[in-house]
Amino acid sequence: MSEPNPRSPPDAGALQAPLARLLRPLVRLFVRSGITFPALTDLLRELYVNVAEYDFALPGKDQTDSRVSLLTGIHRKEVRRLRGAGAPVSAVPAAISRTSRIIARWVAAPDFTEADGRPKPLKRAAESGPSFESLVASVTKDLRPRAVLDEWLDRGIVTLDEEERIVLAEAAFVPSGGGSQQLYYFGRNLHDHIAAAVANVLEEKPRFLERAVHYDGLSPALARRLEERAREIAMEALQQANREAHAACETDPGGEARWNFGIYIFAEDARADDAPLPEPKA
């Protein structure tokens, strides 16, 4: 299959208004977290050089300081200092990877789910049938199930019911605010959403599904009701996608490709974010 033909990128001036809207919540996070404008400028300078060096290299030609400087507007001396830092690292931290794989199996594999698709409460160990030990062992032999259980109990990922069975908690799907796991997925999920949207802007035909249903002028009560219903629909879709992907992976030979299916829900009082956006520059 041939690759889609890229079209001319949108005019820089036309991008300023949507860019300001996109960056506004990030700037709010930066200010609250103590990331100053000079610190952000240093990071952006490094990223500009990195992207120009790795993503805009000409086939069969060495990327030069002059060309990177031309593409980015950054002085050649700065380009020379910043080049060669390597492409951004996208590896999943081992602890997060293991946790995600175990939870994904718990909510997808038929042995560990109820008839309605809910994850089963599991005994710690069992001579036959599913147990927490067999769940962990089916994903990794490098961890002791007891160590995983102690960590998950401490983090609130699982709880114990009245029969001392291990129950997967909602915290498994909603990591604690500001924790390392949430911050990892914050970067990963926003990256993939923005990457899909950018690809659709640059290509003649949209390559990825990137859509939203939106209604304005609602009463707060209706907005809350729609948000609750959307959560139910979203969880059903995510669990179904996870089950099908998990089953398909059982016979997949493996490779370098990756896939991400995400859903977001947002609701707000429109007055909460109605500050005027910067005027586009001529």
Side-chain angles (χ1 to χ4, degrees), residues 26-278:
L26 289 176
V27 171
R28 186 182 299 128
L29 173 64
F30 299 157
V31 173
R32 292 193 63 176
S33 301
I35 298 178
T36 63
F37 179 72
L40 180 61
T41 301
D42 289 341
L43 175 61
L44 284 174
R45 185 181 294 110
E46 293 175 8
L47 284 171
Y48 261 76
V49 171
N50 187 276
V51 168
E53 181 175 4
Y54 289 96
D55 295 5
F56 287 84
L58 296 174
K61 294 185 178 181
D62 293 333
Q63 188 71 296
T64 65
D65 293 346
S66 295
R67 185 163 187 272
V68 172
S69 177
L70 179 65
L71 289 168
T72 63
I74 298 172
H75 195 278
R76 277 190 301 172
K77 286 185 178 180
E78 280 290 278
V79 168
R80 190 177 304 114
R81 180 178 68 85
L82 295 171
R83 281 189 66 185
V89 175
S90 58
V92 184
I96 292 175
S97 175
R98 287 193 297 260
T99 297
S100 299
R101 285 159 52 207
I102 295 170
I103 292 173
R105 184 163 180 78
W106 195 349
V107 300
D111 288 348
F112 299 102
T113 55
E114 305 282 11
D116 61 2
R118 291 182 297 111
K120 288 180 178 179
L122 299 174
K123 295 180 180 179
R124 299 186 188 217
E127 293 184 1
S128 62
S131 68
F132 190 77
E133 284 190 358
S134 65
L135 170 67
V136 175
S138 69
V139 174
T140 177
K141 306 293 185 184
D142 297 332
L143 295 175
R144 292 188 300 109
R146 181 56 196 240
V148 176
L149 176 58
D150 289 343
E151 179 191 354
W152 285 16
L153 285 169
D154 182 62
R155 292 167 54 187
I157 294 176
V158 296
T159 59
L160 299 178
D161 65 11
E162 62 279 1
E163 300 178 34
E164 292 293 304
R165 296 178 302 177
I166 301 160
V167 179
L168 188 64
E170 186 179 356
F173 306 100
V174 186
S176 59
S180 60
Q181 186 177 18
Q182 188 187 51
L183 289 177
Y184 167 74
Y185 282 109
F186 167 76
R188 177 187 175 115
N189 292 342
L190 279 184
H191 168 275
D192 286 1
H193 190 166
I194 293 173
V198 168
N200 290 345
V201 168
L202 294 177
E203 303 294 346
E204 286 290 345
K205 295 181 180 179
R207 295 176 56 191
F208 301 104
L209 179 66
E210 197 267 326
R211 301 285 186 273
V213 176
H214 54 89
Y215 285 81
D216 300 326
L218 305 178
S219 66
L222 177 56
R224 286 193 299 271
R225 181 153 59 88
L226 290 174
E227 180 183 353
E228 291 171 1
R229 178 58 184 140
R231 286 177 181 271
E232 295 173 356
I233 296 171
M235 285 306 300
E236 291 171 3
L238 288 168
Q239 289 172 352
Q240 178 64 28
N242 179 56
R243 284 192 292 270
E244 295 190 16
H246 183 273
C249 286
E250 294 293 318
T251 56
D252 185 63
E256 298 300 319
R258 74 179 184 93
W259 164 80
N260 195 13
F261 171 58
I263 300 172
Y264 70 91
I265 301 167
F266 183 70
E268 68 169 347
D269 181 344
R271 293 171 299 178
D273 200 20
D274 61 358
L277 296 174

